[in-house]
Amino acid sequence: MESTNKNDQKRAHFIHAVEDFFNYLPQELYKQGRLLRNKLSIQFSETGKFEEILSREEDYPSLEFTTWLLDDFGFPEGKERRKLEPHLTLGNFFIFASIFTQNLIHSENLFFDREYIPLVNLLSQEADKHFAHIFSADSKFWEYHRNLWHAYADARLISWENYAGFPEVATEEMVIQRVDLLAPFQLVPIAVAILTGKENNLSKVVTLMGHLHTLRTILTDLTNLPMDLHKGKFTYPILYTYADLELPLSHFSTPEGMILAMRLARTFSKIARDCRKRIALCLAETANLDLVNLGVYFSSLETRINEQINHLPLNFDEASNVFRKNELDVKRIKPSATFVNNHLEKAIGMAKEYLLSDLSFRESWEVHRWGMVDKATVISRFPAGLIIETLCLSGHGLSDQVESFFSYTGENMFSYYDHKSLPHADSDTLGVLLRLYRYSVNKNTNREQLQIPLAWLRSSVEESGRIPVWINRANGIDLVENLPVRLLGEGCGSIEAKLLIGLCEYDWISYKDLIHKSAMQLLRRFLDQGIGITVNYPRPYCLWRINQLLDTLNTKPIEIELQDLIAEAMRIYPQYLAAEANSYRITPQQAAFMILACLDSPAEHRIDDRWVNVLLSNQRSNGSWYGEPLFFVPNQAAYTTWHSSHQLSTVFCYIAVKKFAGTVQ
């Protein structure tokens, strides 16, 4: 009873110290820290209470480890231990919190994104601060510290599925290296061995910890295996199978194919045998070193691992199954029908309800309250036009909203803002109007209106065929020393592509010469610069719009020269998309554009279901996705910034999930 009360007091002291850490963080980090604290409470306690964190049988014993090891290594109770023990326990906790937060950032859960990296650094520094209370700068401890964190960093690279350093075929080293994601947890056992003068046992302690971390990794990865297969993660049993069968790492099997491969390779039987062997070695070694508490923990771990293994498909009838590697589908992970029905359809329904709940799409409007040309507040409804276009494209009947957008834009003399006095209109708004024309009801009225900005457009197109973002209402092309001036910087290939799509749909016959000339120069630039042609919009968005343009032009009676450029653009398109797909981290909006850029394109085979996982795991409870930067807008003092909107990002995420669901079904 006395021992229990003492441990309860130690836990209370620890909880109080951690709460103080989270309570007194700087303001921005404080908000992130509260979310992390809440996440830890939910995920690592039975009741959701933070004071009970990491007290369950299945949790890694980060808090108990220090007490167990100090007892096992014979460190007596007293003043010195009361001074050291809190620092070791807190150091171990902050290592745990740092690694856990990095796992969240590394996963598709963008609620913990790269903005949490400063918090990760602070957590790691807090751990080091506690160790620095114990060890001087020249202590051997810091050499272990450096080596273990280096091992962790290497393992983190291996856990990144797009890592460029992957060998062609998985190796046993990669399987072993995955365990190093727990390497920093060896620091406390090493610290205790140094503090108790048992450095001669350090190699044995490190070996024990290596076995422990392998067993913990296997247990965790077996528990999460179904979801990891769907997400395409290279976890312990999956890497083990790849290495055993010498399968190429460049492709990933379907979940069903991977399970088949595991059974054929007897992966589960081999892992079970390896686990039992490791536990037997650990029990013998803990008995030899008289590490009683650690021995008890290994015994409990043996029970849990045996329970987990008993649920695995260990037996396989070789006589009725012939293994052929080409039977494993290595194209991409294909979600099951249940996955589609339970996740995609729900996400689509939630997003649809959110988008249609406010048909003014007011949240998306671009509002400038710092004023512009003697007007205190100016507003652009252009973002709402993009939303209306995308929803119409997806089959929603929004004729009232289409007509309202035409009327509003016409009343403001086709200015981007509700300010008739501005000297320039813009080709992006004109492009939206042209693409919305086919969904309009009052076609004659709208066609008559469109002749005004189309006349400005004709006079503003440069000799090369380039279409500027801003078109002059009065004088055609703005010139300085006979060179065309593009207001607010360069022209934008994404905007040009969208306008050309609109012209093709609106009136091919009347504008085919302009379309031909502009499309020729745009595609030449695309072949030369790739997605560097976009300025005002993100790269994946540009790819999607270029693919739409290629598809639209291919339906028209175009000249041979343009046909050849289209063919070459379609040939090189997958290369540009592949380069973008290898980005380290993809946000929901980027994932949406990547899906849209793949579907019905020369790069359709490049589509990755993990992009859908990014979308599904980051949809908010009201059906929306967080707004992400989409296009340039002017700001104070002649600067530009990015416009973002929940409604705008949501409509692209919505249409991407909807289109993807159509291909799966």
Side-chain angles (χ1 to χ4, degrees):
M1 179 65 72
E2 182 181 348
S3 175
T4 302
N5 289 338
K6 192 177 294 183
N7 288 336
D8 288 343
Q9 290 171 9
K10 289 177 181 178
R11 171 174 274 273
H13 180 272
F14 155 78
I15 292 295
H16 179 74
V18 174
E19 291 280 26
D20 277 352
F21 171 82
F22 282 120
N23 286 339
Y24 295 103
L25 288 170
Q27 185 57 36
E28 187 58 36
L29 290 175
Y30 173 80
K31 290 184 287 185
Q32 295 179 346
R34 300 314 290 179
L35 291 177
L36 174 61
R37 178 191 175 282
N38 190 57
K39 180 72 173 173
L40 291 169
S41 302
I42 293 170
Q43 191 156 333
F44 295 103
S45 85
E46 204 70 60
T47 62
K49 297 178 181 177
F50 188 74
E51 59 264 29
E52 296 181 13
I53 187 174
L54 297 173
S55 60
R56 303 172 305 179
E57 185 181 341
E58 64 265 30
D59 295 325
Y60 190 93
S62 297
L63 307 187
E64 289 85 358
F65 242 30
T66 302
T67 301
W68 292 352
L69 291 166
L70 287 171
D71 287 345
D72 283 350
F73 277 82
F75 202 107
E77 292 285 354
K79 182 177 180 181
E80 188 64 20
R81 176 160 170 171
R82 287 195 297 273
K83 176 183 175 184
L84 296 173
E85 191 167 353
H87 288 304
L88 290 171
T89 303
L90 287 165
N92 213 27
F93 170 78
F94 286 113
I95 288 173
F96 162 76
S98 173
I99 290 175
F100 177 71
T101 310
Q102 289 179 66
N103 289 338
L104 291 175
I105 295 171
H106 184 74
S107 73
E108 292 89 357
N109 185 349
L110 282 241
F111 292 113
F112 286 81
D113 57 17
R114 284 168 290 187
E115 291 185 5
Y116 279 74
I117 289 175
L119 180 60
V120 168
N121 293 336
L122 188 62
L123 291 166
S124 298
Q125 290 167 14
E126 190 69 13
D128 291 348
K129 183 185 81 173
H130 286 287
F131 292 131
H133 276 284
I134 303 171
F135 298 104
S136 61
D138 59 352
S139 170
K140 186 184 290 186
F141 172 84
W142 297 110
E143 184 179 340
Y144 286 106
H145 179 281
R146 182 173 60 254
N147 292 337
L148 289 170
W149 277 110
H150 282 176
Y152 170 82
D154 289 341
R156 175 58 70 196
L157 276 179
I158 292 297
S159 70
W160 171 30
E161 292 79 17
N162 289 331
Y163 176 44
F166 270 160
E168 187 175 340
V169 176
T171 62
E172 186 178 347
E173 182 183 3
M174 290 177 66
V175 182
I176 297 169
Q177 205 166 17
R178 169 151 177 83
V179 178
D180 283 338
L181 286 171
L182 298 176
F185 287 118
Q186 294 189 31
L187 285 171
V188 165
I190 288 170
V192 172
I194 293 173
L195 289 168
T196 54
K198 303 287 180 65
E199 292 183 59
N200 57 319
N201 290 330
L202 259 180
S203 61
K204 294 178 181 178
V205 172
V206 169
T207 300
L208 269 176
M209 294 306 298
H211 287 313
L212 171 60
H213 292 161
T214 300
L215 292 166
R216 291 283 320 180
T217 300
I218 291 171
L219 188 59
T220 301
D221 288 353
L222 289 177
T223 303
N224 298 330
L225 184 59
M227 186 58 69
D228 289 338
L229 285 171
H230 272 300
K231 291 184 175 181
K233 290 183 176 296
F234 287 123
T235 59
Y236 191 96
I238 296 169
L239 280 172
Y240 191 103
T241 306
Y242 268 74
D244 201 29
L245 297 179
E246 299 182 351
L247 296 172
L249 278 168
S250 54
H251 299 291
F252 201 90
S253 174
T254 61
E256 296 78 11
M258 198 64 230
I259 289 291
L260 173 63
M262 287 176 172
R263 297 182 69 182
L264 290 165
R266 295 184 177 275
T267 297
F268 301 126
S269 296
K270 292 174 183 176
I271 288 178
R273 187 164 58 248
D274 179 54
C275 286
R276 293 186 181 110
K277 182 179 177 182
R278 287 178 187 275
I279 288 174
L281 288 170
C282 290
L283 289 173
E285 193 63 71
T286 53
N288 181 48
L289 295 173
D290 199 24
L291 303 176
V292 178
N293 290 307
L294 208 53
V296 171
Y297 179 70
F298 274 114
S299 295
S300 68
L301 199 59
E302 179 181 29
T303 302
R304 291 189 56 232
I305 288 175
N306 282 332
E307 289 174 355
Q308 185 69 49
I309 288 171
N310 288 337
H311 288 90
L312 297 174
L314 298 178
N315 300 316
F316 188 74
D317 183 3
E318 293 179 348
S320 62
N321 291 276
V322 179
F323 173 56
R324 292 189 298 273
K325 285 187 183 181
N326 60 1
E327 286 185 349
L328 298 177
D329 182 352
V330 294
K331 291 179 181 178
R332 62 186 178 97
I333 316 162
K334 296 176 181 176
S336 63
T338 302
F339 181 85
V340 173
N341 293 333
N342 292 351
H343 293 80
L344 296 179
E345 291 183 5
K346 181 64 175 177
I348 291 165
M350 289 169 61
K352 175 182 174 182
E353 190 171 343
Y354 169 79
L355 288 165
L356 298 183
S357 65
D358 172 21
L359 294 179
S360 71
F361 308 110
R362 182 181 296 272
E363 185 271 339
S364 73
W365 295 0
E366 180 189 330
V367 180
H368 296 276
R369 292 194 169 89
W370 46 265
M372 190 181 294
V373 192
D374 299 326
K375 189 172 181 181
T377 300
V378 293
I379 298 173
S380 170
R381 296 190 188 179
F382 165 76
L386 284 180
I387 295 173
I388 295 165
E389 175 204 352
T390 307
L391 288 173
C392 287
L393 195 64
S394 188
H396 294 280
L398 297 175
S399 57
D400 289 348
Q401 285 68 38
V402 171
E403 295 302 329
S404 175
F405 189 75
F406 265 96
S407 299
Y408 177 83
T409 311
E411 288 169 6
N412 288 288
M413 287 297 292
F414 304 96
S415 171
Y416 182 80
Y417 298 104
D418 57 349
H419 197 327
K420 300 177 184 179
S421 302
L422 294 174
H424 292 80
D426 74 291
S427 50
D428 216 1
T429 300
L430 177 56
V432 171
L433 290 168
L434 293 171
R435 297 190 302 277
L436 284 176
Y437 177 76
R438 61 173 166 156
Y439 303 110
S440 69
V441 175
N442 302 317
K443 284 189 164 50
N444 291 336
T445 302
N446 293 333
R447 175 175 285 274
E448 185 177 342
Q449 266 197 327
L450 284 170
Q451 300 316 301
I452 300 170
L454 284 170
W456 299 337
L457 175 69
R458 280 190 185 275
S459 64
S460 296
V461 173
E462 298 174 14
E463 183 62 29
S464 65
R466 288 198 67 169
I467 300 170
V469 175
W470 299 93
I471 52 183
N472 199 319
R473 289 193 182 113
N475 306 316
I477 301 173
D478 292 326
L479 297 174
V480 172
E481 297 181 358
N482 293 321
L483 295 175
V485 175
R486 300 184 189 124
L487 186 66
L488 292 177
E490 287 293 324
C492 176
S494 298
I495 293 175
E496 291 179 74
K498 292 192 291 178
L499 181 72
L500 291 171
I501 294 166
L503 280 174
C504 288
E505 294 175 353
Y506 172 71
D507 190 345
W508 165 260
I509 299 298
S510 300
Y511 294 94
K512 63 181 179 181
D513 291 340
L514 188 157
I515 294 168
H516 182 271
K517 186 176 184 179
S518 293
M520 290 279 290
Q521 62 79 30
L522 178 60
L523 293 182
R524 286 195 184 104
R525 284 163 48 218
F526 179 68
L527 294 175
D528 182 49
Q529 303 173 39
I531 46 182
I533 63 172
T534 190
V535 175
N536 295 52
Y537 286 86
R539 297 187 306 254
Y541 182 87
C542 177
L543 281 169
W544 173 42
R545 291 303 197 178
I546 286 291
N547 181 57
Q548 284 185 316
L549 177 61
L550 296 175
D551 191 50
T552 302
L553 290 172
N554 269 328
T555 66
K556 303 299 181 184
I558 54 179
E559 298 177 13
I560 295 294
E561 190 178 9
L562 183 53
Q563 288 179 25
D564 291 342
L565 278 174
I566 291 171
E568 182 60 17
M570 293 180 72
R571 185 191 68 78
I572 204 168
Y573 182 90
Q575 297 177 32
Y576 291 135
L577 191 138
E580 193 64 23
N582 287 331
S583 297
Y584 178 75
R585 183 172 183 76
I586 292 183
T587 65
Q589 182 174 274
Q590 288 172 325
F593 290 142
M594 292 300 290
I595 291 169
L596 294 170
C598 281
L599 292 174
D600 302 318
S601 84
E604 187 153 13
H605 64 285
R606 294 284 319 188
I607 198 165
D608 190 331
D609 294 334
R610 280 173 289 185
W611 301 337
V612 183
N613 290 333
V614 168
L615 288 167
L616 295 179
S617 63
N618 288 282
Q619 189 176 25
R620 301 164 75 198
S621 59
N622 66 352
S624 71
W625 281 266
Y626 279 114
E628 297 182 39
L630 183 64
F631 55 81
F632 278 3
V633 294
N635 207 334
Q636 300 179 60
Y639 289 106
T640 52
T641 186
W642 288 94
H643 180 70
S644 60
S645 149
H646 299 325
Q647 289 179 329
L648 200 51
S649 290
T650 297
V651 78
F652 294 119
C653 293
Y654 164 66
I655 192 175
V657 174
K658 189 174 182 182
K659 282 179 171 287
F660 179 84
T663 66
V664 175
Q665 291 170 333

